[in-house]
Amino acid sequence: MKLILGSDKSGFILKEAIRAYLDEENIEYEDVGTQDIDVPKPFFDTAPVAAKLLQKDPARKAILICGTGMGMSQVANKFSGVWAACCESVYAAHMCRAVNNSNALCMGGWVIGPEMGIEMVKTFLNTAHTEGLEEWRQEFLRKAADKVNQIDMENRREDKNV
């Protein structure tokens, strides 16, 4: 799996720390965001590129970083099949995968330090949907995911008819 990585200027320092971690671990990634802090690419330009890559290959995951993580999350979630979660803790990064099956972790460079960000990425990448949950909850969440996907499809179709 090739990870998608992207940031704007506000998330650049955190992204670079995560990038160094990914390089150390030989985790393949494609960086679609700001490459040089002096030539920033805004969140509203970075998130769509990442979201379209996720749509093309649903098995991929993305790490998106802006000032708070909220802008990346909001824009990425405009794309069908993208389930971006803005997280500020390792616990939230775990739960966005285990409970919500998110495929994009969004973080804030103004909010999260490099060490915490790396731990969040490790957790996000190593947690499976429904992992560690009771059997009844796993079944509930699988059905919930189907329902949420149905809602997504219905609303995306309606958007096209407007």
Side-chain angles (χ1 to χ4, degrees):
M1 168 189 57
K2 188 174 188 180
L3 189 65
I4 302 159
L5 184 63
S7 77
D8 64 4
K9 183 175 184 170
S10 300
F12 184 77
I13 293 171
L14 179 56
K15 183 200 72 163
E16 289 300 298
I18 291 167
R19 198 165 117 146
Y21 163 75
L22 296 173
D23 287 341
E24 286 172 16
E25 296 298 314
N26 294 314
I27 298 172
E28 196 175 351
Y29 61 88
E30 180 175 357
D31 189 340
V32 300
T34 297
Q35 304 296 313
D36 180 339
I37 200 161
D38 294 325
V39 186
K41 185 174 179 184
F43 72 91
F44 51 80
D45 286 341
T46 300
V49 174
K52 288 175 186 176
L53 289 170
L54 285 173
Q55 286 180 316
K56 287 180 186 174
D57 185 358
R60 291 177 87 176
K61 291 184 180 68
I63 309 296
L64 301 173
I65 309 160
C66 60
T68 62
M70 292 176 210
M72 288 286 193
S73 177
Q74 289 176 340
V75 173
N77 280 322
K78 301 291 184 203
F79 293 81
S80 186
V82 176
W83 309 103
C86 181
C87 297
E88 294 182 355
S89 68
V90 173
Y91 178 77
H94 173 80
M95 296 308 276
C96 84
R97 289 286 305 131
V99 172
N100 302 107
N101 202 21
S102 295
N103 56 3
L105 172 64
C106 300
M107 297 184 284
W110 297 333
V111 180
I112 297 166
E115 295 81 12
M116 176 68 77
I118 291 167
E119 289 305 312
M120 290 170 65
V121 168
K122 288 178 188 178
T123 299
F124 178 77
L125 295 178
N126 293 307
T127 302
H129 186 226
T130 74
E131 181 178 314
L133 302 175
E134 306 91 330
E135 185 56 43
W136 70 266
R137 192 177 308 264
Q138 290 180 20
E139 182 61 29
F140 172 82
L141 290 171
R142 283 189 283 275
K143 289 178 182 173
D146 291 342
K147 182 64 177 170
V148 171
N149 283 324
Q150 179 184 351
I151 292 167
D152 181 51
M153 294 298 287
E154 289 169 0
N155 285 305
R156 302 300 175 165
R157 265 190 303 242
E158 289 175 16
D159 289 347
K160 291 178 184 176
N161 294 326
V162 174

